[in-house]
Amino acid sequence: MKSNITEILEEYESLRLRNENLQRQRIEEVYTRLPVIRDIDSKISSIGFEIASSIFKLSKEGIDAEEFISNKRKEIESLKQEKAVILTENGFAHDYMDINYKCSKCKDTGYVDAKKCNCFKQKLINLYYKQSNLTNVLQRENFTTFKMDYYSTVKSETYGVSPRDNIMEISARCVDFCETFDNNNTNLLFTGSTGLGKTFLCNCIAMEVLKKGKSVVYNTSSTLIDNIRNIKYSDTDKSKLDYTLNCDLLIIDDLGTENITQSSQSEIFNIINERILRRKKTIISTNLSLDELQVKYHQRIVSRIFGNFDIFEFFGQDIRIIINSHKVKKR
Ligand SMILES: [Zn+2]
């Protein structure tokens, strides 16, 4: 049986081949439409050859190789500029003939300086934590598709603000969390009943953080506990557990829907506690109120959360019901 690593490396290889083919096609397209570009390219490569072949010869003849090479490099630069101008004047992007990497950091090799690139780590996470559908959800749900007009503008007596103002504030804080991701040490707790956009915002954040090339583990609390137990008790490769502790962002969705036992509580405590100690960010979403959390969970979990998480309370009417009734009216 092929190992996961081998499979992923083969995936990278076929991705690179596909992109190299596409690049060749684009180059041919440009050469056909603009033969002058082919001439420029062949000039560039012959100067490159001149540089390479002259180094040994020049130093033997006592000629200043450094000056010669820097002049030649300048020639190449100006040819490249000329090329970019011609391309854009003819409706092509200036980098149309370059290769398109899915990950520019590792150039789709999976490695940077012999270490696994974040995109590689994320592939392993998706595999180990069964989140293969994550990217599909994420393409649909992002900050730009978040509709706030379903939230009421009527001020809540209990909270002193309207659900609309509340969700706008929360959403702005979430955007800020993503924008300052590298520099903040913030954990977020989303609490409130179902259908108020908690999972949606978790998805938005996951999407933005993944786009930054960070690693994200995103599980419901029950799946997370199952995954951890599976790795602990039936997998030979315990290093897979490191991803819950070391990924850049851990999102625990639906805390409180798992079967809450002594052992599930100790798994949850260990993860939250370890991540706080390692200064790794965690987001928890739960349908439980703050009071219910205190009743259902051990004091040491609750105190870690209350002491280390920014708490956002979602309130208002279930927006999924509002959206559905709008659909009915339209018919
Ligand atoms: Zn990469």
Side-chain angles (χ1 to χ4, degrees):
M1 209 182 86
K2 264 189 230 167
S3 78
N4 294 329
I5 304 264
T6 315
E7 262 176 51
I8 292 176
L9 287 175
E10 285 175 0
E11 224 177 272
Y12 278 120
E13 200 187 336
S14 65
L15 177 66
R16 285 199 308 274
L17 285 174
R18 203 164 53 237
N19 283 333
E20 280 164 16
N21 271 329
L22 289 171
Q23 182 197 26
R24 260 196 297 277
Q25 285 171 23
R26 290 196 302 275
I27 291 176
E28 276 313 312
E29 183 196 346
V30 171
Y31 283 173
T32 314
R33 269 188 56 193
L34 305 167
V36 60
I37 297 286
R38 189 196 292 270
D39 298 340
I40 294 176
D41 272 354
S42 78
K43 268 187 215 159
I44 291 175
S45 65
S46 67
I47 297 172
F49 181 74
E50 242 183 289
I51 295 175
S53 58
S54 62
I55 294 174
F56 179 69
K57 207 176 80 192
L58 289 175
S59 59
K60 228 171 76 179
E61 288 169 9
I63 300 169
D64 186 356
E66 238 170 79
E67 200 193 327
F68 175 82
I69 290 167
S70 105
N71 285 335
K72 288 290 167 192
R73 291 229 166 96
K74 276 181 203 149
E75 271 179 56
I76 290 181
E77 265 324 297
S78 77
L79 283 168
K80 281 186 176 167
Q81 276 173 21
E82 192 189 332
K83 185 175 151 184
V85 171
I86 297 174
L87 282 174
T88 48
E89 277 175 356
N90 285 279
F92 292 106
H94 68 93
D95 57 357
Y96 189 71
M97 296 166 77
D98 297 349
I99 195 158
N100 280 335
Y101 294 110
K102 196 171 173 197
C103 176
S104 52
K105 264 193 219 155
C106 66
K107 303 197 156 96
D108 298 334
T109 59
Y111 287 92
V112 178
D113 299 334
K115 281 192 190 130
K116 283 194 194 82
C117 181
N118 263 325
C119 67
F120 197 154
K121 288 184 196 160
Q122 189 62 42
K123 282 178 195 288
L124 289 172
I125 288 173
N126 292 349
L127 209 64
Y128 299 157
Y129 293 87
K130 301 176 184 68
Q131 37 183 43
S132 51
N133 57 357
L134 183 66
T135 39
N136 296 333
V137 179
L138 298 181
Q139 266 146 22
R140 287 199 308 273
E141 303 192 344
N142 56 68
F143 284 116
T144 55
T145 61
F146 189 39
K147 296 240 180 315
M148 289 187 238
D149 25 329
Y150 292 118
Y151 293 82
S152 163
T153 51
V154 179
K155 190 168 135 183
S156 144
E157 288 302 320
T158 324
Y159 296 95
V161 287
S162 70
R164 173 88 57 92
D165 286 342
N166 184 52
I167 200 69
M168 282 169 70
E169 164 77 16
I170 293 175
S171 171
R173 293 280 297 273
C174 291
V175 170
D176 184 62
F177 174 85
C178 297
E179 279 172 357
T180 62
F181 192 83
D182 287 322
N183 308 313
N184 74 50
N185 183 31
T186 314
N187 302 296
L188 309 175
L189 174 75
F190 296 161
T191 159
S193 40
T194 51
L196 292 173
K198 298 190 301 295
T199 299
F200 195 103
L201 281 177
C202 285
N203 288 344
C204 297
I205 293 174
M207 167 89 167
E208 289 303 316
V209 173
L210 281 171
K211 273 202 274 183
K212 284 178 183 275
K214 307 287 171 186
S215 51
V216 179
V217 172
Y218 187 163
N219 275 170
T220 62
S221 58
S222 56
T223 315
L224 181 65
I225 291 165
D226 285 349
N227 282 333
I228 289 173
R229 285 179 181 155
N230 281 338
I231 298 171
K232 264 192 189 168
Y233 305 117
S234 22
D235 204 307
T236 46
D237 184 3
K238 307 281 181 260
S239 72
K240 292 176 183 176
L241 280 176
D242 290 347
Y243 289 102
T244 50
L245 303 177
N246 285 324
C247 64
D248 297 311
L249 177 64
L250 170 67
I251 301 179
I252 308 176
D253 202 4
D254 262 342
L255 182 74
T257 54
E258 77 279 14
N259 180 22
I260 302 173
T261 61
Q262 278 295 347
S263 110
S264 79
Q265 294 219 42
S266 90
E267 301 293 7
I268 294 284
F269 174 79
N270 285 336
I271 297 167
I272 295 176
N273 191 48
E274 267 300 315
R275 288 189 61 86
I276 291 169
L277 294 175
R278 293 172 192 221
R279 302 175 73 83
K280 293 288 184 181
K281 291 177 268 288
T282 306
I283 298 177
I284 298 175
S285 100
T286 178
N287 295 340
L288 300 175
S289 68
L290 299 179
D291 287 342
E292 286 167 328
L293 274 178
Q294 282 177 292
V295 175
K296 297 213 173 189
Y297 287 92
H298 200 280
Q299 183 51 38
R300 58 184 191 153
I301 294 182
V302 177
S303 73
R304 284 298 183 287
I305 294 178
F306 286 11
N308 295 280
F309 284 64
D310 288 358
I311 297 173
F312 296 111
E313 292 188 71
F314 289 61
F315 59 86
Q317 225 191 319
D318 186 336
I319 58 163
R320 289 175 301 192
I321 295 172
I322 302 172
I323 292 168
N324 281 331
S325 70
H326 276 255
K327 280 181 190 156
V328 172
K329 272 182 210 155
K330 271 188 196 157
R331 281 193 198 125

